[in-house]
């Protein structure tokens, strides 16, 4: 683990996966939101909320309960905060996703906003639970 001025970097698949899951838990996001493969590095800057993930290859994952295919690039980054990831890069569902937000209320919904046109797609949050 390397730390510099609020930054925490985990190298390797096991350490990286633990860090990615801990970030999802800490910021109250579904644990299955980022199905990653062969993680090289996961980093997080506590001062800015900036997080990044580097994995060896592109991961395509179909969330069966909603029949949607998401593509996770070799580099994923954005700003993570409670129930939200903003300025997201490296995630696509048809179009690039720029923001993911979980409702603050008990509606059980998660929203994906596209980069182009600001189209918002809403799904049940349980579709992104661990193991999905």
């Amino acid at each position: 683990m390397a730390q510099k001025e609020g930054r925490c970097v985990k190298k390797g698949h096991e350490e990286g996966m633990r860090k990615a899951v801990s970030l999802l838990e800490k910021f109250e996001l579904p644990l299955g939101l980022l199905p990653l493969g062969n993680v090289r590095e996961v980093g997080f800057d506590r001062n800015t909320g900036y997080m990044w993930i580097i994995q060896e290859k592109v991961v395509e994952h179909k969330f069966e309960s909603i029949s949607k295919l998401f593509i996770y690039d070799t580099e994923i980054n954005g700003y993570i905060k409670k129930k939200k990831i903003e300025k997201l890069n490296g995630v696509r569902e048809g179009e690039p996703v720029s923001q993911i937000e979980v409702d603050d209320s008990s509606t059980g919904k998660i929203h994906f906003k596209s980069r182009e046109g600001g189209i918002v797609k809403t799904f049940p949050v349980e579709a992104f639970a661990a193991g999905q």
Side-chain angles (χ1 to χ4, degrees):
M1 175 176 87
Q3 281 193 303
K4 185 171 94 178
E5 299 174 26
R7 282 189 168 203
C8 176
V9 180
K10 299 286 187 173
K11 303 265 187 186
H13 184 72
E14 296 297 318
E15 289 288 314
M17 286 300 294
R18 275 197 287 278
K19 184 64 180 175
V21 168
S22 77
L23 286 171
L24 293 173
E25 281 180 332
K26 178 179 179 179
F27 292 102
E28 301 176 31
L29 292 162
L31 300 185
L33 188 61
L34 301 173
L36 306 171
N38 295 322
V39 173
R40 285 195 194 150
E41 178 178 299
V42 174
F44 175 64
D45 185 329
R46 279 190 299 279
N47 298 323
T48 63
Y50 182 73
M51 63 115 193
W52 66 94
I53 298 166
I54 300 171
Q55 54 185 355
E56 287 183 19
K57 61 182 196 261
V58 172
V59 171
E60 292 186 5
H61 182 82
K62 185 173 186 180
F63 291 92
E64 294 296 335
S65 67
I66 56 172
S67 298
K68 294 290 180 183
L69 179 69
F70 281 74
I71 299 168
Y72 299 84
D73 291 340
T74 55
E75 292 189 33
I76 301 165
N77 61 63
Y79 292 86
I80 191 168
K81 54 174 75 171
K82 185 179 177 183
K83 298 187 177 221
K84 185 186 277 191
I85 304 175
E86 298 177 315
K87 297 182 182 174
L88 181 63
N89 293 297
V91 177
R92 295 178 308 227
E93 188 281 308
E95 296 179 11
V97 175
S98 64
Q99 182 175 299
I100 300 171
E101 185 172 6
V102 175
D103 278 350
D104 222 3
S105 63
S106 60
T107 63
K109 300 292 184 190
I110 186 168
H111 311 280
F112 294 79
K113 185 175 181 182
S114 70
R115 188 169 319 287
E116 289 93 31
I119 297 166
V120 177
K121 295 182 180 179
T122 301
F123 304 107
V125 77
E126 61 267 11
F128 300 91
Q132 297 297 313

